[in-house]
């Protein structure tokens, strides 16, 4: 089974999904036309959202998750307890490899990561399932947040 988490009850994490979708409306994705929203719940209970911001110099564009993490840090929070990524279509949109690593900096292996869209949650995983044997702060002798 692909999902690392049991299916969520209908409506679970809907606040997170709605925050991601609200950010996705503002995506700047003129090149790919692929709009992505991300929302993070932190240990404090706050929710931070972001969306993708593309650039004519393609590699300079940033992912929705990166925007949400930047908002979280600017808001004074550091501990991620739940993540939602939303996008168009029926496929579950999971964080790209780089964003899995970005999330790892502020989350542990059991942190749920949901892939959703306008209609609800499509699939749920743990960070550990998406980024096994991750490189993290401990390898540098630093503590997790
Ligand atoms: N994108 C994200 O924002 N997050 C992901 O995890 C996957 C991809 C964006 C980057 C680019 O603007 C568009 O989706 C197509 O790759």
């Amino acid at each position: 089974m692909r999902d690392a988490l049991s299916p969520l009850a209908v409506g679970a994490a809907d606040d997170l999904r709605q925050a991601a979708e609200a950010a996705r409306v503002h995506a700047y994705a003129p090149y790919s036309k692929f709009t992505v929203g991300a929302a993070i719940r932190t240990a404090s209970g706050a929710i931070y959202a972001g969306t993708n911001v593309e650039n004519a110099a393609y590699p300079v564009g940033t992912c929705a998750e990166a925007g949400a993490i930047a908002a979280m840090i600017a808001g004074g929070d550091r501990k991620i307890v739940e993540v939602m990524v939303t996008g168009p279509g029926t496929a579950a949109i999971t964080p790209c490899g780089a964003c899995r690593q970005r999330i790892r900096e502020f989350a542990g292996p059991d942190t749920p990561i949901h892939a959703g869209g306008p209609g609800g949650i499509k699939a749920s995983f743990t960070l550990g399932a998406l980024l096994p044997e991750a490189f993290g702060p401990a390898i540098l002798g630093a503590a997790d947040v």
Side-chain angles (χ1 to χ4, degrees):
M1 182 166 137
R2 187 171 62 130
D3 291 7
L5 291 176
S6 305
L8 289 185
V10 173
D14 213 50
D15 53 351
L16 217 50
R17 191 187 63 77
Q18 287 180 22
E21 283 291 277
R24 185 163 80 89
V25 167
H26 302 294
Y28 179 73
Y31 307 109
S32 74
K33 317 272 193 230
F34 193 81
T35 58
V36 181
I40 290 166
R41 194 189 316 280
T42 63
S44 73
I47 291 175
Y48 298 92
T51 190
N52 49 334
V53 184
E54 297 184 347
N55 192 284
Y58 291 177
V60 181
T62 51
C63 284
E65 297 90 327
I69 289 171
M72 175 190 78
I73 295 299
D77 264 323
R78 294 200 166 171
K79 180 73 185 160
I80 295 174
V81 299
E82 194 170 15
V83 178
M84 176 76 64
V85 182
T86 64
T90 53
I93 293 152
T94 53
C96 77
C99 286
R100 295 176 195 201
Q101 185 67 37
R102 289 189 176 99
I103 293 165
R104 166 63 191 95
E105 187 70 15
F106 305 105
D110 297 333
T111 303
I113 298 183
H114 311 293
I121 292 175
K122 301 166 183 169
S124 296
F125 309 88
T126 62
L127 177 60
L130 296 182
L131 191 66
E133 305 299 331
F135 187 85
I139 297 171
L140 298 179
D144 274 355
V145 298

